[in-house]
Amino acid sequence: MSSIRDRVKQLVPTQVTNRVRESLVDYGVRTSDRRPLPDFLIIGTKRGGTTSLWNYLIQHPLVPRLFPAWNTKSSHYFEEHWHRGEAWYRSHFPTLRQREALENRHGGPVRVGEAAPLYMFHPLAAERVSALMPSVRLIVLLRDPVERAYSHWKERRTNGVEPLDFAAALAAEAERTAGERDRLIAEPNYFSEPYDWYTYRARGRYLEHLQPWLERFDRSQILFLPSEELYRDARATYRRTLDFLGLPPFDLPNFKVYNDRRSAPLEPALRAELTAYYRPHNEALRQRLGLRLDWPDRVA
């Protein structure tokens, strides 16, 4: 009898928590007409410092968190949850009254956003964002694609969804993801875990994935940040981002690195192969964006 009573006691808090969560989500949707769309999006790149930059931004008093509070940095609306509709998307952001209260309290403009690295890579995201929010500002972090790919694999490995070593995962990428991009385009409500999880090499062809964004948004709406600059001088990158968003200066006591994954160095032969693979893609990116991007593939 006592064991049954203990199990009931354990279940009650979970049931209450679930009801509270459902109520908050429902409230957000019901008040969605009072919730303006976001002012900015961090659209990429995965494993490029997006979590760190997002956490720096939400420490600014004029950058509110998502609603409800358990949403960390993204709604994933423009890729995974497109079928839920605009009211659901708006439910994640503060109401107009909340924005006005922050502006009155801190004497400056509120800037609301989210950070979703898959947006940059999803074949339909740019079109969807431009249709709904043509004036939104976009922040793009670009990391040396060799390091990005290796870090992506380490994350998948740590999360228990990658049984292969890095070399084998790269070799299996084409087969694992075959047809997924086409299916995402053909079936707008489809979400592909393989396209998100196992695209280690493909995601580093940055210009290919940025082209739809460059075609739909004025260059003045896009801030490109080399991830290496964020790692080297987070304070300067943070200040540059605040200026881009039209936010007043605000200093942080420290710039903690989020989601850092230490490991053994990448095997030299594999590094050399990836460096050679990305060299033409990186050079095309540099030419198109007019950025220096001091990655190891660069020929002096």
Side-chain angles (χ1 to χ4, degrees), residues 148-174:
R148 193 223 67 79
Y150 188 40
S151 182
H152 185 173
W153 171 81
K154 287 187 287 185
E155 180 188 64
R156 297 294 87 197
R157 188 83 162 179
T158 301
N159 291 345
V161 298
E162 179 51 89
L164 304 179
D165 64 35
F166 188 41
L170 287 171
E173 180 173 332

Side-chain angles (χ1 to χ4, degrees), residues 121-123 177 180-181 184 192-197 199 203:
F121 187 56
H122 193 284
T177 62
E180 291 300 295
R181 183 179 177 85
L184 286 168
S192 170
E193 287 182 342
Y195 189 77
D196 184 15
W197 289 356
T199 45
R203 284 209 195 203

Side-chain angles (χ1 to χ4, degrees), residues 146-147 149-150 153 165-171 201 265-278:
V146 176
E147 295 295 340
Y150 188 40
W153 171 81
D165 64 35
F166 188 41
L170 287 171
R201 187 186 296 264
L266 178 57
E267 194 272 320
L270 194 52
R271 177 182 295 280
E273 186 274 320
L274 285 172
T275 298
Y277 172 81
Y278 284 122

